[in-house]
Amino acid sequence: MQRRDFLGLSITAGLFATGLSGCRTSDPLAFGVHPWIGYEPLYLARDFGWLPESVVLSSGASSKDSMAGLLSGKLHGAALTLDETIRVWSEGTELVVVAVADVSAGADALITRPYITELAELRGKRIAVDVSGVSGIMLLKILELVGLAWTDVSPVDLPVSEHAGAWSRVEVDASVCYEPFAMKLERDGGVRLFDSSDIPETIFDLLVVTRETADGNTDAVRDLVMAHFRGLQHLVRSMHDAVYRVAGHQGIRPEDVQSALATVMLPDLAANQRYLSRAGRVEAMARSLSELMLRTGMIRNEPGFQRLCDPSFLPRSLS
């Protein structure tokens, strides 16, 4: 899931009530991050000086930079989606999920031409999709729901940033994308036929660290997670200020941030504890996604994880 160029959040009741391989304890935790609303709390923490010296943010253009850094050993952790976490693990780098940053609740969408009125009509249609990204996972889930196979449609493998161009040239009948691209296609006559709100708690954005870091630099991992929650607290409690700061980080208008406020959920501490438990949704979805990705050839090797999440790095309280 190559995420992402825009943001959105939904503050709903109960979600927020209030080459460096060999990681020594003294080493700063090099953490890869890229623009996306779920990761903005870390940028806010950095801006306000809440990110201690034990953690260094390494900003990249996309999640591909973070994945490459983890695989090369240049990063100790990164902000990744669940499917990206599975991809990295399947290539030999064991990861630990230490926090859920956000859950997609409409940010990822299937936009179709008006003549496609139901999912079954996708058969034989040209669908713009980033096969190696989250839109590839989204399309797999859509096809699974309607009983179609990948070979029943005509995927057009394109980065999501290029979907609008293919749409305007009438090269595709549909697009699996995310904000702000989905919004742009809708303005250009597209119809939102399906989005991640139809498959709740399926697409997760996570904070992950390598197993070596989780075992050998525990204080820095806790500092990282606490910084995320402090930034999230500001985002929720000082929304007006945060929206303008986020718009500045992203290089977009504040009203564009606000227009996508309902597209993701930002779990608070209690929700994180539920998500990261042994019987939690992240563990269950990780097993389901791993099987799907292996079966469809998205990954070549079985990740083989027994336990992906570790809630022990979550703070006991935020007071």
Side-chain angles (χ1 to χ4, degrees), residues 130-198:
D130 182 354
V131 173
S132 64
V134 69
S135 63
I137 293 294
M138 184 80 169
L139 181 55
L140 280 176
K141 297 299 289 185
I142 291 169
L143 295 176
E144 187 178 50
L145 283 172
V146 75
L148 294 176
W150 190 268
T151 52
D152 290 327
V153 298
S154 297
V156 179
D157 191 6
L158 289 172
V160 170
S161 59
E162 297 180 17
H163 287 201
W167 183 277
S168 65
R169 295 188 298 270
V170 199
E171 295 173 353
V172 297
D173 303 296
S175 163
V176 183
C177 57
Y178 41 76
E179 301 296 1
F181 306 106
M183 187 188 310
K184 292 177 180 177
L185 293 183
E186 287 180 282
R187 290 171 181 166
D188 200 21
V191 176
R192 182 178 292 247
L193 194 60
F194 187 93
D195 65 31
S196 52
S197 67
D198 296 307

Side-chain angles (χ1 to χ4, degrees), residues 44-305:
L44 290 171
R46 184 186 62 184
D47 290 350
F48 283 104
W50 298 330
L51 200 66
E53 293 182 358
S54 59
V55 179
V56 176
L57 294 187
S58 177
S59 296
S62 73
S63 59
K64 287 184 177 179
D65 296 327
S66 296
M67 295 169 73
L70 288 168
L71 290 169
S72 69
K74 292 181 179 179
L75 294 176
H76 301 124
L80 298 177
T81 58
L82 180 55
D83 60 286
E84 289 164 353
T85 300
I86 293 168
R87 290 177 197 273
V88 172
W89 192 314
S90 73
E91 294 189 33
T93 298
E94 184 178 350
L95 298 176
V96 179
V97 178
V98 296
V100 175
D102 71 79
V103 186
S104 182
D108 300 89
L110 169 68
I111 308 298
T112 67
R113 303 283 183 184
Y115 52 77
I116 300 174
T117 59
E118 57 184 49
L119 295 179
E121 294 174 2
L122 291 174
R123 184 184 295 273
K125 299 299 190 294
R126 302 163 300 170
I127 305 175
V129 57
D130 182 354
V131 173
S132 64
V134 69
S135 63
I137 293 294
M138 184 80 169
L139 181 55
L140 280 176
K141 297 299 289 185
I142 291 169
L143 295 176
E144 187 178 50
L145 283 172
V146 75
L148 294 176
W150 190 268
T151 52
D152 290 327
V153 298
S154 297
V156 179
D157 191 6
L158 289 172
V160 170
S161 59
E162 297 180 17
H163 287 201
W167 183 277
S168 65
R169 295 188 298 270
V170 199
E171 295 173 353
V172 297
D173 303 296
S175 163
V176 183
C177 57
Y178 41 76
E179 301 296 1
F181 306 106
M183 187 188 310
K184 292 177 180 177
L185 293 183
E186 287 180 282
R187 290 171 181 166
D188 200 21
V191 176
R192 182 178 292 247
L193 194 60
F194 187 93
D195 65 31
S196 52
S197 67
D198 296 307
I199 46 172
E201 297 188 327
T202 296
I203 299 177
F204 291 91
D205 286 292
L206 310 167
L207 305 186
V208 305
V209 298
T210 64
R211 168 55 64 187
E212 185 177 19
T213 302
D215 291 343
N217 205 355
T218 56
D219 288 343
V221 178
R222 290 192 177 93
D223 288 343
L224 167 75
V225 175
M226 177 58 85
H228 164 76
F229 281 108
R230 290 196 69 182
L232 180 57
Q233 196 167 47
H234 180 79
L235 185 61
V236 173
R237 293 181 175 177
S238 304
M239 177 67 70
H240 182 77
D241 174 77
V243 163
Y244 278 87
R245 290 180 185 273
V246 168
H249 293 158
Q250 299 281 338
I252 58 177
R253 302 175 303 172
E255 52 266 39
D256 289 332
V257 179
Q258 294 172 324
S259 69
L261 291 180
T263 63
V264 302
M265 296 182 294
L266 301 175
D268 67 356
L269 181 56
N272 259 269
Q273 290 166 342
R274 292 194 301 272
Y275 279 136
L276 299 188
S277 69
R278 184 176 293 275
R281 180 66 176 175
V282 175
E283 292 281 355
M285 185 51 58
R287 289 191 291 273
S288 174
L289 270 184
S290 297
E291 293 170 1
L292 178 64
M293 294 168 74
L294 191 63
R295 187 171 69 248
T296 56
M298 284 192 147
I299 56 175
R300 295 187 299 272
N301 303 305
E302 168 64 49
F305 49 78

